[in-house]
Amino acid sequence: MSTATANRKPVHLAVYDTFADWETGHTTAYLARAGYEIRTVGPTRAPVTSIGGLRVEPDLALDDVEPQDGALLILPGADLWDAGDDLAPFARKARAFLDAGTPVAAICGATAGLAREGLLDDRDHTSAVSFYLAATAYKGAERYVDADAVTDGNLVTAGPTEPVAFAREVFRLLGVYDGEVLDAWYRLHHDSDAEAFAVLQQAAR
């Protein structure tokens, strides 16, 4: 573990109806193990329901979240990202976080929300496929990177099939794991690499 986690602020996990509950599981589980408090943020404090049928009562309403109070804002995918403007306030909140220098991590449909907000016009990024974001008519197509996950400054993006790579980039950005340990964590959870497990066991001693 890096000493970067010694002075921790909470991680804010956005939750809204139809959010993809599997996309951020690796990220939040291991951030919690590293000592970060995970605080859920909904449109209001009213309960929301994930795609998988999980009912979540948010800890905070979006309007009550300030960038300086958190270590990271995580935006999972959701059907609602492509079904209108209901989640646009979360993209605007992401802009406030980035403007304040607080990291944002977006996966799956949340990347389209950031594209519509103009946050990917001048940053390297990825998503499910390039033409998915092109449908938003954003201006950042030349900055699209065909990779499992991409970090540009304080922004992490990933496609829906890459929750492990998404977590890897978050851990790197926050300094939770680095170097050989980060590589081993990724190989264990992405490739079931037994040798990587041995590296992690040694690092934990």
Side-chain angles (χ1 to χ4, degrees), residues 12-63:
H12 292 109
L13 171 65
V15 292
Y16 20 71
D17 283 332
T18 75
F19 78 93
D21 40 39
W22 66 91
E23 290 178 343
T24 61
H26 288 85
T27 304
T28 55
Y30 282 88
L31 287 178
R33 284 188 167 189
Y36 285 92
E37 178 188 5
I38 308 300
R39 307 202 74 191
T40 52
V41 180
T44 66
R45 293 286 302 278
V48 299
T49 303
S50 74
I51 291 177
L54 298 181
R55 188 174 182 270
V56 177
E57 184 173 340
D59 298 312
L60 298 165
L62 184 63
D63 286 345

Side-chain angles (χ1 to χ4, degrees), residues 148-172:
D148 55 8
V150 171
T151 300
D152 188 327
N154 278 337
L155 178 65
V156 173
T157 52
T161 61
E162 299 294 345
V164 179
F166 180 69
R168 179 197 66 207
E169 294 303 301
V170 168
F171 301 156
R172 192 199 316 273

Side-chain angles (χ1 to χ4, degrees), residues 119-152:
L119 295 174
L120 304 185
D121 290 350
D122 301 309
R123 293 177 173 91
D124 290 344
H125 59 276
T126 194
S127 185
V129 287
S130 60
F131 56 79
Y132 170 64
L133 292 186
T136 69
Y138 80 131
K139 299 177 182 177
E142 72 282 356
R143 302 294 296 268
Y144 186 89
V145 181
D146 188 9
D148 55 8
V150 171
T151 300
D152 188 327

Side-chain angles (χ1 to χ4, degrees), residues 54-92:
L54 298 181
R55 188 174 182 270
V56 177
E57 184 173 340
D59 298 312
L60 298 165
L62 184 63
D63 286 345
D64 296 330
V65 175
E66 297 296 336
Q68 65 271 20
D69 296 334
L72 173 73
L73 173 64
I74 303 174
L75 300 174
D79 291 344
L80 287 181
W81 282 114
D82 298 316
D85 297 328
D86 286 356
L87 299 186
F90 284 90
R92 291 194 290 271

